[in-house]
Amino acid sequence: MSEEIRRAVGLLAPDGGVIEVRALADGATHSGYFDDYERLARAVEALDADPSVAGIYVTLNDVNPALLARRANRIKMRLSRKDATTADADILRRRWLPVDIDPVRPSGVSSTDEEHKAALNAAERIAAYLAEQGFPAPIRADSGNGAHLLYRIDLENDEAATALVKGCLATLDALFSNEAVTVDTANHNAARIWKLYGTCSRKGDNTPERPHRRARILNAPEEIGVVPAERLRHLAGLLPREDPLQPKKKAAGIDLAAWLLDHGIAVRSTKPYQGGTLFTLESCPFSAAHKDGAFAIQFANGAVFAGCHHATCGGGAQRWPELRERYERRQKRTPKPKEEEAPTPPPTPPDDEHRERALEILKNGDPLTFLLDTFNQSHVGDRLVAECLVMSLASQSVENTNGLHVAVSGNSGKGKTHACTTMQNLIPAAYKLKGTVSDKALYYDDDLRPGTVLLFDDVSLSIDLQEVLKSATANFREPIEHRTLTTERKLRVCTIPERCVWWLAKVEDLGDDQVMNRMLTVWIDDTVEQDKRVFEHMKKAEAAGRTTATDDILTCRAIWEIIKADVLSVRVPFARRIQSSTTQNRRNPGMLFDLIKCHARLFFLQRDRDGDGAVIARPEDFAAAAILYGAINGEAGGQETKLTKNEAAALATVESMGVEVFTVRQLQGALGLSYYQTRRLLNGYVSRGTPYSGLLEKCPAISLYDATVTEGGDYGVTVRRREQYFTFDREVYRAWSNGASVWLDDDPDDGSDGSMFQQNGSNCCQQENGRSEGGSGKDVQDPDIDRSMYVYVQHNMRTESMDSRTSGDSRGACVFRTAAQDLENSEHNAGKMDPASNAATLIGSSCCQRAATVLPVLPPINPADYIPLPVAKNEPCHICGRRPTSSVKRGGGAYLCYECLKKAKQPGKVQPLPGVLDHRTFSRTKVELGRCDVCGEKRAVYRSREAQAKVCDQCYARLVREWNGREGVR
C-alpha cells in the first residue's frame, strides 16, 4: 500500500512542494502538512488502518510553503475550530483539472458493483470526447466508488481561472450526466481536496452489496501533457451560458419537448439548465457516424439551441435551424384551417366494476381489513406498519387534522422499503412520488398535486429538507411557499401543494427530535420468525407463478379515489371522556385524535353526519385508534420514547442481562453487533454535520462514567487503560418505557357504565348485551360476567384490524383490559370465578377475538397457605395451568406450580401513588433506618417525620422525578 501512495503523491505533485493530508472520520477531521513524502506515506498508512476514517484526501494544487509550519510533517488528530486548513487564497497556482464521475445513489453509502462500473464507463466516454477536443491523455483512476480523470493544466489562481474550470465542468455535466452518473461541478475551487490513491474509501457500512473499495490509479501516461488554455476556453464555451435571442419567426411558440416527441426524436434524459431544460438525445440526428453527443436546450425565454459535442459534428455549434429544416422541410409552415365542428359531448363512462366493489366495501364491509389483506398478498406481516400508512393516507381527506406522517425504522434488508412501496401500489399513480430529490426540488415540481405521498427511502434528509418537512407538518392544510429569484432577478413564488404526507424508511432515526416528534414512529418486524414467513411466502409465490390479484389492487385504488374525492371534517363527540397516562409530548395526544378521525373517515359511509356534514366518530373508532396508538408506544414502535428498533432491542437486552453496570464489549457480545455499531447505539454519532442522539441522551436509565482499569499483562507488566462503564437503572427504565395507555372515562350523562366501547344499538359483544329475556333489549347483566375486564387499552396489544368481519353487520368494538396494575379488581375477580374460565368467557366474544390478547387478573398468592408436595404431581396449576405442580393449598383442591410459588415469594415492589409522598419532607440521616418502606429491598437513608416513612436513594430519586414532572421540570 505504501508504494501505491508514494506513486500517487509523485504523480499529483511531480514538482514537489507542500501537500496537505486531510482525513475525514466520524465527527472529526485529522490534518497535516508534508514536504517529506516518505513521512507522508507512513502517516497515511497508519491513518488508513483506522476503521473510523471514512476517507483520506490531499490538496491537488500548489500550496503556499509557509503552511508547512502549521503541522510540519505530522498529522494532528481531531482538529479544533481554531485549527485552519488550506483555503483558496493559500493556493499559488492551479496544476490540475479534476473530473469526478459519481454514480447516483443514496448519500452516505458505497456504490454497488453495477453503479461503480457505470461511473468507470462514463469516464471512458468523457476521456474519448476530450481527446476529440484536443486534450492530452489524462490520469485515469478509480476513486473507490466512482471514477476520476485528472488533466494537467497551468493557470494562475485567480477569478478568471476559477470561472474557466467551472465552465469546463459545467459543460461536461450538461453533456454526460444522466440518471445513472453525474459529473461533480463542485470541484472548481482551487483548494479542493482529492481522494489519495492507495487508501480505502469507507462510506457507510461494508456490505457484500455495497463494499468498501481502495482508490487506485488505473492508467497514467508516461509523459503527462498540459492542456492548452485555448482548449479549456473552447470546452467552457461549447454551451451557451445565457439565453440566446429568440428568433422572431422560426422558434416562436415552439414547445421543444412536444416538438421532439412529434418528430420521433428519442430523448435519453432531461435536466434543468440555465433556467430552462436540456434534452440529451438518444441518437445523433445530424450524423450516422456516432450515436451519443447530441443535445437540445430550450431556455426560459423560449429560445432553442441544438447541436452535437463531437468535433466532426459541429463541436457544440448551434444547429437548431438545420435540425428544424431537416424534419420540417416536407411540411407546410402554415397549417390548414380546421373545419368548425359542433363539440361532441364527452362519452358517459361505463360502469366501473372496481368502483362498485369499492363502494360496497365502504358501505357494508370493512375497508381497513380489505386494504390490509390486499397489502399482505404482496408483503407478509407488518400489519401495524401498513395500518399506520393507511391512517396517513386517510388523514389527507380529513379537514380538521394536521396530517399523519410515518417513519418506519428497522434493520437493513428487512422490508421497510417494500412495505412502503407495496402500500403505494394500492393508491392511484397520480398521488405518489418516489426517488431522490434535492433540497428545493419539491417546490419546482409542477406535476406535484395535493394529497401526494412523498416516500424517502433510506436517505439522510438534509437540513433544508428537514425544514421543509417541519413546514409541511405545521401547515398541512395550506400550500408551502418558497420565494426565489430567477436568472432575470425577478421574484418567483414556488409552492408545495397542501395535504402531502411524508413516509420515511430508515435504519437510524432522522437526527432531529423536532422532526421525529411530528411522525408516527413504527418498527418493521425483523424477527427470525418473520424471516421464515417471508421465505415461505416467496416459495409459494414462485411455485404459483403469479403475483397479487390485480382486481384487489384496482379496488383499493378505487377506494382511495372515492375517499379522496372529498375532504370532510370529523367530530369526536366523546372527546372529553378520553384520558391518557402520559401527556408530556403534546403532539402525541393530537396524533391520537387524528387516528380516531382517520378511522372514522375510512368508515365514513357507515357513520352518521351532523348538520354541517361532519362525520361523527364512534367509540369503536376510538378503540381501533387506541390499540394502534398503544402498539406504537410499546413493542411495535417508539412514539413516546423516539427509539429505533435497534435501540429498543439494546435496552431490552441490557434489562434481560440483569446487570447494573456494563461495558460496550459486554453489550456487543449480547447483541452480536460490531463494536463500532454498539458504541454508536450508546453514544450517538455525527454524520455529515448532523448529530444523531444515542441512548445516553434518549434514555434516563443509562448513565456513563470513565474509569482506569489495571490489568496484569504478560511477563509481569502491569497495563493500565481507560474504560467506559455504563450504569443501568432497571426501575427508571421500566417507568420510562412503560408506554402510553388511553381509555374512556365513565360518562353519566349518556348512561354508559364506562365498561364498553360502543353505542346503543351496536351488536358487538352479543353474548353480554343479548342476555336479556326474550331479546327485550333491557340492560340485564349476567352477574357471573366480570365487566371490569372491558376497560383498559394497554400498550402491549397487537392489532391487525378490529375484527375479521367481511360484511358490515358487526360494527361494534370493545377492548379487553390486560390486567396488569389493578390490585382492587384483582381481589374482586378472585372471589368470583377461576381466571382461566373468566378469560375463556371473554375470548368467546365473537366481534373481539382479534382485538387483543386477554390476560386475566390473577388473585394474590400467600405462600404460607400452600404445603409442599413430597413428589411433583401431574395436576394443573390453578393460577397458570402449567404441569406438574409442587404444592397444594391447605385444605386441598388447589395445586400450585413451582414458578408461581417462586414469584409469590419474591418481595413485591410497590410504587407509591403520585403525590402521596412529598420529597421535600424527607431529610437524609446517618443513623441506621432499616429497609426502604417502598421497595423493601435497599437500605433506607431518607426519613420523613411528617409522613412517618423512610426511603432509599432510588425511591427518593423517583419522588423527585415525579414532583418535577408535575411541575413541568424536564
Side-chain angles (χ1 to χ4, degrees), residues 11 85 107 145 215 245 279 348 438 631 686 808 833 904 952:
L11 286 172
T85 55
S107 62
N145 290 309
L245 295 176
F279 300 85
T348 304
S438 60
V686 177
M833 59 192 303
C952 62

Side-chain angles (χ1 to χ4, degrees), residues 614-743:
V615 178
I616 301 177
R618 293 181 179 177
E620 50 257 47
D621 297 317
F622 165 77
I627 293 175
L628 178 59
Y629 182 75
I632 61 177
N633 273 286
E635 61 186 26
Q639 190 63 36
E640 190 68 34
T641 62
K642 302 306 174 188
L643 296 177
T644 64
K645 185 71 177 290
N646 288 340
E647 291 169 343
L651 285 175
T653 301
V654 174
E655 184 190 23
S656 64
M657 289 166 61
V659 298
E660 293 185 355
V661 179
F662 64 94
T663 64
V664 175
R665 295 190 184 279
Q666 288 175 326
L667 183 57
Q668 174 195 359
L671 292 175
L673 301 176
S674 68
Y675 181 88
Y676 180 66
Q677 289 175 305
T678 308
R679 185 166 62 87
R680 292 206 324 177
L681 281 175
L682 292 168
N683 295 325
Y685 61 99
V686 177
S687 177
R688 295 180 177 269
T690 301
Y692 292 86
S693 303
L695 291 175
L696 274 173
E697 184 173 343
K698 291 183 178 181
C699 180
I702 291 184
S703 56
L704 167 71
Y705 66 89
D706 286 332
T708 300
V709 179
T710 303
E711 296 178 347
D714 297 334
Y715 309 107
V717 177
T718 301
V719 179
R720 290 185 176 86
R721 59 180 175 85
R722 297 198 53 151
E723 183 73 83
Q724 286 186 334
Y725 286 91
F726 298 85
T727 62
F728 181 74
D729 191 321
R730 182 177 298 181
E731 294 303 317
V732 173
Y733 167 68
R734 289 178 177 176
W736 175 74
S737 63
N738 193 37
S741 302
V742 291
W743 64 93

Side-chain angles (χ1 to χ4, degrees), residues 38 170 227 240 260 274 339 341 346 414 494 568 597 775 866 880 921 956 965:
E38 284 294 328
V227 181
L260 294 171
Q274 299 292 318
E339 299 180 0
E341 299 178 357
K414 295 299 184 179
C494 308
L568 303 176
K597 297 171 190 175
Y866 292 83
C880 66
T921 65
Y956 179 79

Side-chain angles (χ1 to χ4, degrees), residues 79-92:
L79 297 186
S80 63
R81 291 186 177 181
K82 67 178 182 179
D83 293 318
T85 55
T86 307
D88 288 341
D90 298 323
I91 300 298
L92 301 180

Side-chain angles (χ1 to χ4, degrees), residues 104-153:
V104 176
R105 66 192 190 279
S107 62
V109 298
S110 298
S111 59
T112 63
D113 291 341
E114 184 178 352
E115 293 167 344
H116 187 220
K117 184 177 180 181
L120 294 174
N121 291 338
E124 290 299 320
R125 293 195 300 271
I126 294 174
Y129 164 67
L130 292 178
E132 286 185 0
Q133 302 298 318
F135 279 55
I139 294 176
R140 289 180 171 88
D142 178 353
S143 68
N145 290 309
H148 284 172
L149 296 174
L150 282 172
Y151 289 91
R152 186 66 188 269
I153 60 176

Side-chain angles (χ1 to χ4, degrees), residues 388-405:
C388 288
L389 299 176
V390 169
M391 294 301 157
S392 173
L393 290 169
S395 70
Q396 297 176 318
S397 301
V398 178
E399 174 64 33
N400 52 330
T401 180
N402 289 322
L404 292 173
H405 312 272

Side-chain angles (χ1 to χ4, degrees), residues 496-523:
I496 298 177
E498 66 276 10
R499 299 188 173 276
C500 293
V501 295
W502 296 56
W503 294 354
L504 309 179
K506 206 170 187 308
V507 176
E508 304 291 348
D509 63 24
L510 300 177
D512 191 320
D513 292 339
Q514 293 186 42
V515 173
M516 290 298 293
N517 285 337
R518 291 168 162 83
M519 314 289 291
L520 288 176
T521 56
V522 61
W523 300 331

